[in-house]
Amino acid sequence: MTSPKVYTFQQSSPIELVTETGQEVQISIHQPSSFMSKNLERVLPDWTLPVAWVVVVLQQSRFALGETATHIEREKDRLRERFMRFGCTVVSHLRDQGFLADLIDPRDGYPWLSRRGEIPHDDTAVVTALLGFPVTTGNCSIITHPSWGNAVYPSILMSSASPQFIKPALKKEAIQQGWKEPTKYLQLSLPGVLQ
């Protein structure tokens, strides 16, 4: 008999969800990028503790986001609003537990609840540094997701809390948003067949 494998948090896979409208959401928790570690006081000047963890929230868009058009700008606004609703609740939950936490406004790169620093945060650069996704540059930098292509909207939360506090807050709020785990294919059990 083999013993079960033990995985550290860094080896775990992202939280995969599906919204009520069928778009996928991927959420992962990471240690901060070297940029954030070096520039904390320039991005979040009021924080007295280092950013312990960065939460990357990737939302699948209905359209590729590399072009400029009215329907694409509306889609970005819709995805930003959904993230802000989700992120504010998660951050409030973590702050109520005594942790530093904030979300970065995807529109301008500045923290939503903390005092604005002298430089903005670059969500695209962080996703590239932490997940290794390629970036297409044009009017703005667009991430290329391995499954969704350029139909991806990145967002960032930061906290001094550890993953064991962050993950339950993320899952609780995802349920409140109506996001669900993707339906897995059910395997039929046949008599006499080991699964």
Side-chain angles (χ1 to χ4, degrees):
M1 177 178 217
T2 59
S3 59
K5 261 189 173 174
V6 177
Y7 294 95
T8 64
F9 190 82
Q10 288 83 354
Q11 294 171 321
S12 69
S13 58
I15 300 168
E16 306 229 2
L17 304 162
V18 177
T19 67
E20 67 287 347
T21 55
Q23 281 81 42
E24 294 180 54
V25 177
Q26 292 178 343
I27 304 172
S28 54
I29 305 171
H30 307 269
Q31 291 183 323
S33 66
S34 60
F35 172 83
M36 181 49 76
S37 297
K38 292 176 188 172
N39 292 288
L40 176 65
E41 68 284 347
R42 297 178 70 204
V43 177
L44 297 163
D46 294 336
W47 282 38
T48 55
L49 297 173
V51 172
W53 298 95
V54 174
V55 178
V56 176
V57 179
L58 301 176
Q59 296 181 76
Q60 182 182 26
S61 171
R62 294 181 286 198
F63 314 104
L65 299 179
E67 299 176 24
T68 303
T70 304
H71 70 283
I72 291 173
E73 294 309 311
R74 277 195 303 261
E75 178 72 351
K76 287 179 185 177
D77 289 343
R78 182 183 74 82
L79 295 170
R80 175 185 175 268
E81 181 182 326
R82 181 190 292 164
F83 166 72
M84 297 302 277
R85 228 180 11 251
F86 171 77
C88 282
T89 307
V90 171
V91 164
S92 293
H93 178 79
L94 293 170
R95 284 178 167 218
D96 288 348
Q97 293 182 53
F99 298 108
L100 292 173
D102 208 339
L103 62 156
I104 301 298
D105 186 342
R107 186 176 289 153
D108 64 12
Y110 288 102
W112 186 250
L113 301 170
S114 303
R115 184 168 54 100
R116 187 180 252 213
E118 55 185 87
I119 60 172
H121 186 269
D122 185 341
D123 294 352
T124 303
V126 168
V127 171
T128 299
L130 297 177
L131 298 174
F133 292 175
V135 173
T136 305
T137 54
N139 291 340
C140 63
S141 298
I142 303 293
I143 293 169
T144 303
H145 187 280
S147 301
W148 310 337
N150 295 123
V152 57
Y153 190 84
S155 312
I156 303 291
L157 301 168
M158 290 182 252
S159 182
S160 63
S162 64
Q164 60 259 35
F165 291 99
I166 297 171
K167 200 167 186 177
L170 294 170
K171 287 186 171 187
K172 179 182 176 190
E173 185 50 32
I175 291 168
Q176 295 296 319
Q177 293 286 324
W179 301 350
K180 299 178 179 170
E181 290 186 20
T183 306
K184 304 289 182 198
Y185 292 102
L186 298 176
Q187 294 181 353
L188 296 176
S189 233
L190 298 176
V193 177
L194 296 175
Q195 295 191 16

